[in-house]
Amino acid sequence: MNTRLSTEVAIIGGGIVGASAALFLRRRGVPVVLLDADRCGSRASGVNYGGVRRQGRALAQMPLTRRAHELWNDLPNLIGTDGEFVRSGHLKLARNEADMAALAAYRDQTRGFGMNLELVTGAAFRARFPWLADGVIGGSFCPQDGHANPRLVTPAIARRARELGADIREHAAVTQVARDGDRYVLRVGDTLEVTVRTVLNCAGAWGKQFAAQFGEVVPETVIRPLMMVTEPLPVFMTASLGIQGGGIYARQIDRGNCIIGGGRVADNTSTYARPSSAAMHALMAATAALLPRLRHASVIRFWSGIEGNMPDHNPVLGPSLTTPNLFHAFGFSGAGFQIGPAVGEVLASLAATGTTDIPIDAFGIARFTAPARPSVEPLLPVGHTLEST
Ligand SMILES: Cc1cc2nc3c(=O)[nH]c(=O)nc-3n(C[C@H](O)[C@H](O)[C@H](O)COP(=O)(O)OP(=O)(O)OC[C@H]3O[C@@H](n4cnc5c(N)ncnc54)[C@H](O)[C@@H]3O)c2cc1C
């Protein structure tokens, strides 16, 4: 073994969750090493749509998303950049009266969480959003939600954590993690051995294999949302869009490019999810139908990413049931970018004090797994695709 080090906390994974945990641990003065198989923010956290929205989240996520909203507003103070976070508002569209009724019910259920949802229909809706196709009858507008540039945010969080003293190691895939007395020993091939008191499993779509090492088998699957970006166009889209019940989502940045997501990539063989031409055509057709101004726009890039998905679309977040001082935070099911900073803060609190003020019981690993025998499966390198059982 080339290098051995001993510290308090090891974080596996430098996505927005792990990087934020490192940042908040250092703000508490806790010694921490972060190990990422690739580069911080190179996976789901760096290739996502960039939606920074509270609207549409499950009720159980409300306290977490509210705290995240405060952190996003404070980003320049926290990490020295706003990450191009724009409070454009988030507009969830209704295609029929049943959609409108669902949006009204959601507004009523989430009152008290500061989203100030505003339902808009009829002539007022048409006048305010004239660039939408006629098939849409109204929507729910969340004025302070918005969007940001995912390529900037996570690397900036990791950089700030490093400035505050976090030991951040990239291209450092954890190949083994095991309990040794009251400590953990993590190995990065035969180059690095790290001994710590506490481990944070922030490995995204690869999180379930670390849980399995400690006898916690969970049904995390892999999803690959499809994304595309157009050439720069005159700015017309005044809000980030989603559709009640699912469909495409779209935003436009100041430079004029429109970023649109929708559908999934089925490819399950490549390290980097590769869009199929059928999925690309379906996304372009759905976009042209909703946004007439994009009918003749050129798409300059398609891409996807690898994301961990749970059956109930809520993450696994909280302590291991089998092993002390092990905390899981993975399986964000296509929606971890906005809540990521708050999840990192919660993890830092759990690692430092064992508790958190934000309610997270709904995300406990107990909802999926009865403790089993620890897995004897070898850990897969990050490049390998993890298909669920
Ligand atoms: C295309 C796409 C669009 C999305 N759009 C949105 C959106 O608009 N809004 C939103 O809120 N969410 C969105 N999401 C979801 C969001 O991006 C994720 O939920 C979030 O980024 C998850 O962060 P993470 O830190 O848990 O995981 P990741 O960013 O995947 O980070 C996990 C890290 O673990 C590392 N790792 C894995 N195995 C090992 C190992 N053995 N050793 C060391 N490191 C390891 C990986 O290299 C990776 O960097 C989208 C996701 C995708 C893919």
Side-chain angles (χ1 to χ4, degrees), residues 12-18 35-39 42-45 47-51 57 172-174 202-204 206 210 225 227 304-307 332 334-338 382:
I12 305 171
I16 194 162
V17 171
L35 305 166
D36 195 282
D38 204 324
R39 299 188 64 190
S42 61
R43 294 297 173 152
S45 298
V47 299
N48 64 55
Y49 163 73
R57 287 182 182 277
V174 175
C202 305
W206 298 267
F210 289 104
M227 309 293 310
S304 184
I306 295 175
E307 166 75 340
F332 286 88
F337 187 54
Q338 191 270 348
V382 69

Side-chain angles (χ1 to χ4, degrees), residues 20 23-24 27 52 63-79 81-82 85 87 153 157 337-346 358:
S20 299
L23 174 69
F24 286 106
R27 284 168 64 94
V52 182
L64 204 51
T65 196
R66 178 171 58 186
R67 176 62 187 144
H69 185 65
E70 291 167 1
L71 294 172
W72 277 95
N73 284 333
D74 197 32
L75 222 50
N77 282 332
L78 276 173
I79 61 169
T81 173
D82 66 3
F85 174 42
R87 287 173 213 81
V153 175
I157 296 172
F337 187 54
Q338 191 270 348
I339 56 174
V343 172
E345 191 181 44
V346 163
I358 306 254

